[in-house]
Amino acid sequence: MPVAIITGASRGLGRALAAELAGRGWDLVLDGRNADALRSAAADLERYGPDHAGGAAVRPRVRAVPGDVTAAGHRAELVAAARELGGVDLLVNNASALGAEPLVPLAELPVAGLREALETNVTAPFALVREALPLLRAVGGAVLNVSSDAAVEAYPTWGGYGASKAALDHLSAVLAEEEPGLRVWWVDPGDLRTGLYAAAVPDDADFAARPLPESVVPAFLRLLDEAAPSGRYSAPVLLEAR
């Protein structure tokens, strides 16, 4: 079965995408900083199979690897776990850091906060791709980097986070040029009802009306199903075009 590494998989979009892939029979290597939450998510996903509504005919193998993606040793553990399952067909860089919670104007953003956003949102995905690249090349796999509209639009208080996602977008574009045998997607999921967004804008009056992460997963699956060419995509636009 195909194998996916998904970072930030204990909740939110990462957890929702993992559930859909498990239902299709994918084997999974899941990352998250909260060990208890990650192991609970992995235990739930391992039940997907013939006895799960809409589940795959074969029960997926799920490996929970708690840790911080900014740590080189942890990234090596993720790739080693995937290698034991058979390789890497899909690498999803979903784990993100805001740099400040709640978000603040650039004049108030600590340098350490910007550094954290860059380390988590740019350096860690870059390093994880490098770690997994031989396995990805071996199967003509895919890299899915979760971006944001803040990478291309100038929103007050989103400067540090947006700058990090803009850098991730550019790295993704260059990777796509340099690795034509891979599919590289950088995807804006839209504003979702997640813990990350609640931490970013805790006083958002529209939070309860924002879509759940599960609602945009079909957009990500469409990229997989159609073997979409490398590029930048918007989940809401992909859903509208279905």
Side-chain angles (χ1 to χ4, degrees), residues 63 70 172:
R63 302 289 184 266
T70 65
S172 302

Side-chain angles (χ1 to χ4, degrees), residues 20-43:
E20 289 299 324
L21 292 178
R24 291 176 168 216
W26 281 61
D27 293 328
L28 303 172
V29 176
L30 307 181
D31 149 89
R33 287 180 295 179
N34 185 317
D36 291 339
L38 186 68
R39 293 191 178 108
S40 176

Side-chain angles (χ1 to χ4, degrees), residues 93-220:
N93 285 306
N94 169 67
S96 295
L98 293 167
E101 297 182 9
L103 294 176
V104 294
L106 287 175
E108 301 172 23
L109 178 65
V111 171
L114 177 59
R115 186 175 293 116
E116 179 190 15
L118 292 170
E119 281 290 323
T120 304
N121 303 347
V122 187
T123 305
F126 162 73
L128 187 52
V129 167
R130 284 195 59 185
E131 188 81 28
L133 199 51
L135 297 178
L136 287 162
R137 284 170 172 165
V139 296
V143 176
L144 196 165
N145 291 327
V146 177
S147 184
S148 168
D149 59 344
V152 294
E153 298 290 345
Y155 299 126
T157 75
W158 289 84
Y161 179 80
S164 70
K165 291 296 185 177
L168 179 63
D169 279 8
H170 194 70
L171 279 178
S172 302
V174 173
L175 180 66
E177 291 293 324
E178 294 178 344
E179 298 289 338
L182 305 183
R183 285 161 291 148
V184 183
W185 306 310
W186 46 112
V187 185
D188 168 19
D191 292 336
L192 303 175
R193 202 187 320 167
T194 63
L196 185 77
Y197 190 87
V201 192
D203 57 352
D204 179 18
D206 297 324
F207 181 74
R210 297 196 182 281
L212 290 169
E214 291 81 359
S215 67
V216 301
V217 168
F220 292 85

